[in-house]
Amino acid sequence: MERLVVGAKRLGFDLSPGQLESFQVYYEELVQWNKRVNLTAITDYERVQTSHFLDSLTVALFLDDLPTPVLDVGTGAGFPGIPAKILLPRIRLSLVEATAKKAAFLNHLVDRLGLEGVEVVTARAEELAHDARYRETFDVVLSRGVARLDTLAELALPFCMCGGAFVAQKKGKVDAEVDAASAVIGILGGRLREVRRIAVEELDEERALVVIDKCTGTPQAYPRRAGIPQKRPIRARR
Ligand code: SAH
């Protein structure tokens, strides 16, 4: 886990031997399950350390090790939620994933790593966000690699409580995407706080964290029904 150790240091995180052991087990389970369930195209030992684990840890720049409710939308094989949980064991993490087979992997992994305070929810964000137990109840919502920011804002912001924040992980150039989403973010009750660029040598491409504050309640009409946020992103007058 040498690449991860070095990269994490650059972000300001010192990983304990116990945490490194967890990442090692995570790697082994990921590669093992990937033979049966399509979890990731990246299985190389070095690349998993950087493109999955280290990349996921960048969200911890916006988290504290406190028992606050955190949700990861479209978590897939657990990114960025699980690495964040390994680093910050006190967070209360909910993982939302639409594909049952991926959710089965997540349940297995949580058990295998002995993580406490992690809930795996097999659901579509469009439906779960209308469930009162989930709507506007999270301090921080995370997401990586799920959709373009205008679509993603509709899937994620309804989960954020007012005063909370949505942290979207993006690769490469983000300015145009952020610009295109800005009016939509407002409609959903959010306000752009910052675009934090992450330049870590171990990561191939430039990364950015788009941080959106939740300022007012999301109108009940959102998110629209499953598939619509992707198919027809909200069109806003600007
Ligand atoms: N966040 C992970 C996975 C990205 S792939 C990573 O960065 O590696 C996108 C994942 O989001 C897939 O596993 C897909 O099943 C899930 N997903 C896509 N749309 C979703 C939705 N509307 N609700 C819940 N999960 C969704």
Side-chain angles (χ1 to χ4, degrees):
M1 287 288 144
E2 195 48 37
R3 304 265 294 163
L4 177 60
V5 170
V6 172
K9 264 221 179 71
R10 263 192 242 284
L11 291 173
F13 306 132
D14 276 315
L15 297 170
S16 71
Q19 286 167 328
L20 291 175
E21 172 65 24
S22 292
F23 280 111
Q24 181 65 36
V25 172
Y26 193 169
Y27 172 74
E28 286 161 14
E29 294 291 343
L30 180 71
V31 171
Q32 196 58 36
W33 275 65
N34 204 46
K35 293 174 186 160
R36 291 183 284 126
V37 180
N38 186 13
L39 295 169
T40 178
I42 301 169
T43 54
D44 173 74
Y45 187 57
E46 307 260 292
R47 283 205 60 212
V48 169
Q49 290 179 55
T50 53
S51 300
H52 284 324
F53 297 162
L54 179 62
D55 187 41
S56 292
L57 288 183
T58 61
V59 300
L61 296 170
F62 291 93
L63 292 171
D64 294 310
D65 195 14
L66 294 171
T68 45
V70 175
L71 178 102
D72 182 1
V73 180
T75 189
F79 307 121
I82 300 265
K85 175 71 183 175
I86 293 171
L87 181 70
L88 308 171
R90 294 178 70 196
I91 62 169
R92 305 205 57 83
L93 180 66
S94 295
L95 301 168
V96 180
E97 173 49 51
T99 306
K101 283 183 182 170
K102 294 184 183 179
F105 167 71
L106 293 168
N107 276 314
H108 168 78
L109 182 69
V110 166
D111 194 46
R112 184 78 172 73
L113 295 177
L115 298 175
E116 279 168 26
V118 181
E119 175 197 28
V120 178
V121 189
T122 312
R124 294 217 38 143
E126 294 93 322
E127 280 147 25
L128 196 70
H130 287 287
D131 182 329
R133 288 169 301 167
Y134 291 89
R135 190 176 182 85
E136 303 197 320
T137 56
F138 293 90
D139 287 270
V140 183
V141 177
L142 308 170
S143 193
R144 185 186 87 155
V146 174
R148 237 174 48 193
L149 195 59
D150 49 5
T151 294
L152 193 58
E154 184 174 353
L155 299 178
L157 276 173
F159 289 108
C160 258
M161 60 168 74
C162 292
F166 169 40
V167 179
Q169 270 190 276
K170 289 285 166 188
K171 257 195 219 180
K173 307 221 176 306
V174 285
D175 292 342
E177 196 177 330
V178 171
D179 202 40
S182 71
V184 169
I185 290 166
I187 290 172
L188 296 163
R191 190 192 300 140
L192 181 68
R193 186 200 305 174
E194 65 170 305
V195 178
R196 174 85 63 97
R197 317 263 165 196
I198 308 282
V200 176
E201 228 173 274
E202 282 70 23
L203 296 173
D204 45 0
E205 259 182 282
E206 195 184 298
R207 316 281 165 132
L209 299 176
V210 181
V211 186
I212 298 166
D213 287 314
K214 182 75 177 277
C215 304
T216 54
T218 300
Q220 274 301 328
Y222 303 112
R224 292 162 297 164
R225 56 173 211 284
I228 304 297
Q230 293 83 347
K231 209 167 132 197
R232 273 192 283 121
I234 299 169
R235 263 193 284 175
R237 241 182 261 278
R238 318 190 52 205

